[in-house]
Amino acid sequence: MRRANLAKITVNNSTSLAIPSTSMNGDQSTISVSMQLKQLNEARKAVLSDPTYYSIHNPYERSPWDDMVAIKQKILRLWDGAASAVKLCCIKFAQRVVLAQTAAVNMDKRNGLEVSLGMVPAGHPFLDPRQLEAEATGLLDRILGVLQDNSIDALVVDGTLNCLSILVRTRPSTSNRIMNAVLSFNPLKLANSPMTPKTRVLIKSMEKTTRMLLIHILKRDPHNPYGPRIQQHVERLMRSRAEILDDVGRKRALAEQQQAAYGDAKRQKMASEPLPVRVNPLAPGPNSLAAIYTLTQNVGLQAFDATQVPSQIATKVVVSTLARVDLHALSQAVHAIRERLAAKEAAQAPVLNPETAPLDVEEDDDDYEPDFTMAEDEEQIKNKLDGKPREEEQPRPDAASLALGPYKLPRPPPLNPEAAAAAGKMVVARVFDTVRGLEEPAAKKTRGGINRLAASSYDKESILTFITRLGTRATAGLENIEPKDEDGQALAVPSQASSDVVRERLYSYVLEDFRKRIDIGVSWLCEEWYCDNVQKKQNPDAPLHYDKWAMRLVDGFFPYLNPSDKVLTRFLGEMPELDPEILGKVKRLCGDPAMVQLALTSLLYLVMMKPPVRDMALDSVQDIWIEYEDARPMAAKYLTKWRPGFIESQSGGGGNDTALPPAVAA
C-alpha cells in the first residue's frame, strides 16, 4: 500500500502541480485552481505521512525521500503567487511539514501514525535532524509572516490562526515564537480605513478568530506563562471591538447634526462675566500679617490652623487650586493685598515722648516686654523715687540665721532575723539565676589554686568561685556566737543559717546537670575541706561540713550514673579526701552487673594515682571480689597485680584453711 502511494506521488510529481497561466480564460483558471486544490490536498495527506515514515524506517532506499522533497519544493513555490484558496492549502501543508520535522512530546502516548523528528534514529544516512529542524523553523516563520505583516486578507489570516493551535499544543518548542506573533498581531487594523459592511465583516472575523485561539490556548493550559498577557490582550481586543464596531444606537455626532441643519444651539454655553473679588478694608489699629493676607469673611476658615495639614497634602491642594484658579480673580486678590500693605506702610508709628517714657525699660532686647500702660508724669516719678528706702537703711539678715542646721535621716524600720533570712534567700536565688544566664567560656582556663582571686573577672567561673567561698568562709567561726541588737538584747536565730542556704543552692545547681557541673561540685568540696581544716586549727570543737555535703553529693548523683560515665572516676580522683563510707557507696554500685566495670575502673584509678587511699581502695576491691560473684574476674585481675597472694589465701592454696565465704549473687 505504501509503495502504491509512493508511485502515485511520483507520477503526479511532473504533471499535476503546475501554476495556471495568465492567458487562460476565467473558466479554465477556475478549473485549474480547483484541480490544484484537489491535488494539493492529496499531496498533503500522502507526502508527509507515508514517504517520511517509510524513509525513517527504510534508510537503504533514498528515492522516495527525494521525490517527496521535489514535491515539497513545488508546493512551496506555489505559495506566494497563488490565489487565497491555494495559499490556505500551502499553509496547511507547511503546518504538516513543521509537525513532521520538529520533536513531539510524549510520543509513547500518541497515535502510532504520527510522524515527528524524534523518530529519526541517530546516524541516519540521509535524514539530518538539525537540517530538518532548521527547515521547519523557516517554514514556521513564513507562516507567522502573515501575522507579523498585519495582513488584511481575512481568509489567509483566519486559516493561519486555525493552524497554530495544534502546533502550540503538540510542539512546545514552537509555542514562544507563535505566541509572540499572535500577541503582536492587530486584527483591527482595517478599522483605520473607511468602514464599509465588507470591512466590518472582515474585522469581526479576524478579531473573533484571534480571540478564540487565545481563549482556547488559555483553557487547555491555565498555568501557561503567557496567561496574564493573553488575558490582557483578549480584554483589549474586546474593548477595542466594542469601541469600533458596537456604535449602533448611539447619538449622532456633532458633524451629523450640523449636516442635518440642527446647528449647535443646544450646546452653546453662555460665557459668564467673572465675579469681582470683594475685599473688606482692614480694621483700625494694629493688624497681624495673618489679618492682612486674609481675604475670606468666614469665621471658621479664619480660625483654621493650616500648619496642622501635612506638607504633602498641602502641596497637592495648592497645586490643584492654582491650576483651576481664575486669573482675573487672582489678579484682583493680589492687588488688594498690595493696597493693604501700602496702607500699613503709610500709617505712621506714634511718637514716643522721652520725658514721659517709662524709666524701667531694660536694654536687653531679648527680655523686653512692651508696657501698654499710660506713661507717668514727672510728679509721679519723683514721688515714687522719694518713697523708696535707701540701701544702707534696709535691714540686713543675720549670717547665723542662714546657716544650715544638722540633718538626720529617719531611722529605718526594725529588721527581725526572719526578714533578714528571707532577704538573704532572695539575694542568693537572684545570684544563681544570673549564673544560669551566663554563657560557658569558649576555652577553659587553668585554675589558679585554692588561693586564687575569686572576683578577678566577671565571667561565670569567677562568680561561682565567689558564691562557693561565700557559702563556706563567710560564716566560718560564727556558728556559736549569739547575735544581739544595739541594746544588747539577744535576737532570735533563724532556723537555717545563710551559709546553709548558699550550700543548698549549690547542691541543687550541681545536681541539675552533674555531668557538666561536676567540676563546680569538686571546687565546692575543696573549699569545704580547706575551711574545715582551718577551723580545726583554730577551734577543735568547730562544726565541720565537708563530710556531710560530700556524702549528700554522692548520694545525689550516684543513682543516675550509667556504665559509660567517666564522671565517677574524675570525681573520686579530684576529691580532696575520701573515707570508707564513700568507697562503700562505690562498692555497692557492683550490685548492678552493668556498673561493675565502672566501679572497679574508678577504684583502680585511685590505686594508681592516689597513693594515700591506695590501701583503702584495695580493701574495697577485696570486698567486691568476696561479695559480688559477677565482679570476681575483673577484681581478681586487679588483686593479682596489686595484692598478690590474696586470691590463693582465700581459695586455700596458700596454706590457709579459711573457707571461701559465699558470694552474693548480683
Side-chain angles (χ1 to χ4, degrees), residues 365-384:
D365 294 338
D366 296 336
D367 298 334
Y368 170 73
E369 294 181 1
D371 188 5
F372 297 104
T373 58
M374 297 298 293
E376 299 178 352
D377 56 5
E378 185 177 358
E379 189 67 24
Q380 291 176 347
I381 294 173
K382 291 181 179 180
N383 293 336
K384 185 183 292 186

Side-chain angles (χ1 to χ4, degrees), residues 94-103 115-117 166-167 170-171:
Q95 179 215 33
R96 300 301 302 176
V97 173
V98 174
L99 286 173
Q101 295 184 188
T102 53
V115 180
S116 70
L117 192 63
I166 188 172
L167 290 176
T170 61
R171 301 295 186 266

Side-chain angles (χ1 to χ4, degrees), residues 300-320:
L301 290 177
Q302 291 179 2
F304 177 71
D305 187 5
T307 59
Q308 301 297 326
V309 181
S311 58
Q312 298 85 357
I313 299 178
T315 304
K316 292 181 180 179
V317 171
V318 170
V319 171
S320 60

Side-chain angles (χ1 to χ4, degrees), residues 275-293:
L275 297 176
V277 179
R278 182 180 178 183
V279 180
N280 295 330
L282 290 175
N287 293 290
S288 62
L289 286 177
I292 293 175
Y293 284 93

Side-chain angles (χ1 to χ4, degrees), residues 114-126:
E114 183 177 356
V115 180
S116 70
L117 192 63
M119 299 174 60
V120 179
H124 197 280
F126 54 86

Side-chain angles (χ1 to χ4, degrees), residues 387-403:
K388 291 184 178 180
R390 298 179 180 273
E391 293 182 0
E392 57 271 8
E393 296 178 359
Q394 294 180 358
R396 295 183 178 179
D398 188 8
S401 62
L402 299 178

Side-chain angles (χ1 to χ4, degrees), residues 21-33:
S21 175
T22 56
S23 62
M24 295 182 182
N25 55 24
D27 296 337
Q28 291 177 346
S29 178
T30 304
I31 295 172
S32 177
V33 170

Side-chain angles (χ1 to χ4, degrees), residues 137 140-141 144 147-148 164 167-169 171-184 214 217 221 224-227 229-230:
T137 304
L140 179 62
D141 292 338
L144 298 178
L147 304 179
Q148 294 170 354
L164 298 179
L167 290 176
V168 174
R169 178 167 54 88
R171 301 295 186 266
S173 59
T174 63
S175 60
N176 291 335
R177 195 184 301 268
I178 294 173
M179 292 306 303
N180 290 329
V182 174
L183 292 176
S184 62
L214 294 175
I217 293 173
D221 187 9
N224 194 315
Y226 288 91
R229 291 184 59 187
I230 292 175

